[in-house]
Amino acid sequence: MPKVRTKLVTWDEVVGWCRELAEKIEKSGYRPDIIVAIARGGYVPARLLCDFLDIHDLVSIQVLHWGKAAEITAVAHVKYPYTLDLSGKRILLVDDIIDTGDSVIVARDYITKHWKPAELKVAAMQWISPVAKIKPDFYVDEVKEWVWYQYPWTRAEDTTNFFEKIVSERAKEGKTEWSFDELVEEFKEWYGIDVGEAYYRLALRRLLESGKLEERDGRLVVKSE
Ligand code: ADE
């Protein structure tokens, strides 16, 4: 059994979900003038929705919130606050997933206050209903049991963070030396997914470059803090 419920998401699934999302928005009669992508997770879905809904105006707002390896660390806030005049415009605010809802709430409140749109509706591919503080106006999947969606745009980052988590947790139990294959096997066991060799190599390179792991006699050694 994996330790962290994780779903490996393919690019084809993303395209399918966004097509479905666009259909729901069209059917509702809501006609956005502009899409606002929540950076960074909302970028790809927002761009696909522009295509499927034939919307040519796209801006973004960056909200910081999530820490490493699927753990919440900071209070959600707008990273680069700026002002736009969107008076009279109907906005579609887009993120990949509504988890706690904090990112969307912060973005929505900031936009409403500072950009003054006529209307704002929220769209996301996934909505984790038991934990979310907000229900999006449009979504594809209601997720009833918390899962980490391993989207293609965070594959390198997630793999690196997941490796780091494995290595630091196991170091507490005294395991401070790894082979590449052992690390990959443990990754598959903990997360129940396989992201492929290229991502494992990339993640390992990042951990070596950041000094979290060291190579000694062909073994990967955990650097003590
Ligand atoms: N970002 C915030 N929550 C997430 C989740 N459950 N899966 C993937 N990305 C997320």
Side-chain angles (χ1 to χ4, degrees):
M1 267 293 277
K3 287 193 186 209
V4 183
R5 283 167 50 84
T6 309
K7 173 175 169 47
L8 183 68
V9 175
T10 65
W11 285 108
D12 283 351
E13 281 176 307
V14 171
V15 175
W17 290 333
C18 287
R19 189 175 279 118
E20 230 181 282
L21 202 49
E23 276 165 17
K24 288 186 176 183
I25 294 162
E26 267 194 319
K27 274 207 190 106
S28 78
Y30 189 59
R31 296 279 176 270
D33 300 297
I34 181 166
I35 290 184
V36 181
I38 299 184
R40 293 168 295 163
Y43 267 92
V44 175
R47 184 62 187 88
L48 287 167
L49 286 173
C50 280
D51 196 26
F52 292 137
L53 294 169
D54 197 22
I55 293 171
H56 294 222
D57 291 9
L58 170 63
V59 296
S60 73
I61 184 165
Q62 183 154 14
V63 180
L64 281 195
H65 176 42
W66 286 88
K68 291 193 163 174
E71 286 170 356
I72 305 171
T73 50
V75 174
H77 61 282
V78 175
K79 186 169 184 190
Y80 300 109
Y82 65 103
T83 302
L84 283 180
D85 180 6
L86 293 185
S87 47
K89 305 270 192 205
R90 287 179 301 265
I91 291 186
L92 185 68
L93 180 62
V94 175
D95 210 345
D96 45 9
I97 185 164
I98 312 279
D99 189 309
T100 61
D102 289 337
S103 304
V104 165
I105 290 168
V106 165
R108 180 201 62 191
D109 292 351
Y110 180 87
I111 291 167
T112 306
K113 185 167 173 204
H114 298 281
W115 299 2
K116 310 231 167 22
E119 209 174 345
L120 182 151
K121 287 188 189 277
V122 174
M125 298 184 299
Q126 278 78 37
W127 169 46
I128 310 193
S129 55
V131 293
K133 300 180 192 85
I134 181 176
K135 181 180 180 184
D137 300 283
F138 310 104
Y139 58 90
V140 179
D141 300 317
E142 177 179 354
V143 181
K144 297 205 166 133
E145 256 185 280
W146 192 91
V147 171
W148 184 261
Y149 277 75
Q150 204 306 286
Y151 296 114
W153 45 88
T154 56
R155 202 149 286 158
E157 187 179 325
D158 285 352
T159 306
T160 309
N161 291 336
F162 290 176
F163 266 3
E164 201 182 325
K165 178 101 178 159
I166 291 167
V167 161
S168 70
E169 289 290 311
R170 298 282 269 112
K172 287 180 203 159
E173 300 161 6
K175 180 164 175 64
T176 55
E177 274 197 33
W178 295 83
S179 70
F180 176 73
D181 290 346
E182 273 175 344
L183 197 49
V184 169
E185 276 318 301
E186 194 103 348
F187 178 100
K188 291 181 194 167
E189 235 171 73
W190 277 41
Y191 297 99
I193 60 169
D194 183 1
V195 297
E197 168 104 15
Y199 280 103
Y200 298 127
R201 296 262 170 224
L202 177 54
L204 175 60
R205 182 147 45 84
R206 287 188 181 174
L207 291 184
L208 290 169
E209 276 166 11
S210 67
K212 293 189 171 116
L213 282 179
E214 273 179 346
E215 212 155 11
R216 268 189 239 150
D217 306 322
R219 298 282 293 168
L220 302 163
V221 182
V222 183
K223 253 278 244 355
S224 45
E225 303 282 307

